[in-house]
Amino acid sequence: VQLQASGGGLVQTGGSLRLSCAAAGRSVRTTRNNGMGWFRQEPGKEREFVATINWNGGGTYYAESVKGRFTISRDNAKDTVYLQMNSLKPEDTAVYYCAASRYATGSSQVGAYQYWGQGTQVTVSS
């Protein structure tokens, strides 16, 4: 499965962005049966969990640092997962990665994920 993340950019503090992650390519496999997650990474730091969603969208889980500001959702008909980010802060600046879990449920653990997108840069200016 190839994942393509998009929607990053430069935004001021308090602004919003919506990231998208679509399964792409000629593979017959999709992500509709997989838990999906968003992670982020700053230079020199470990990849950090942001949000995750179960295969059917029935369960979501967020990092404390983004709870109440970010919303993860999915449209299985489009094989796409979204991350709506509101009230952005400078500390949200990072490269954001989407990933497909090995399982139907989501997870906050990097090791649970089998496929990763290429990342999209989010920069929040103060």
Side-chain angles (χ1 to χ4, degrees), residues 17-21 31 34-40 49-63 66-76 80-86 96-101 104-108 113:
L17 285 173
R18 189 175 83 152
L19 305 184
S20 299
C21 175
T31 58
N34 299 81
M36 297 293 293
W38 286 97
F39 291 75
R40 64 188 182 188
F49 166 73
V50 175
T52 188
I53 188 167
N54 289 346
W55 72 276
N56 62 356
T60 58
Y61 179 67
Y62 299 91
V66 306
K67 196 174 292 184
R69 300 187 297 122
F70 291 11
T71 302
I72 188 171
S73 61
R74 67 189 299 161
D75 183 342
N76 282 348
T80 301
V81 176
Y82 305 97
L83 185 68
Q84 178 66 44
M85 306 186 295
N86 299 329
Y96 282 70
Y97 297 90
C98 64
S101 173
T105 54
S107 173
S108 63
Y113 291 85

Side-chain angles (χ1 to χ4, degrees), residues 4-56:
Q4 292 185 345
S6 61
L10 174 64
V11 64
Q12 291 185 333
T13 296
S16 298
L17 285 173
R18 189 175 83 152
L19 305 184
S20 299
C21 175
R26 296 172 63 87
S27 171
V28 297
R29 298 190 61 182
T30 74
T31 58
R32 296 168 189 168
N33 297 317
N34 299 81
M36 297 293 293
W38 286 97
F39 291 75
R40 64 188 182 188
Q41 189 169 22
E42 297 176 67
K45 294 188 177 181
E46 292 187 355
R47 197 160 293 189
E48 175 189 32
F49 166 73
V50 175
T52 188
I53 188 167
N54 289 346
W55 72 276
N56 62 356

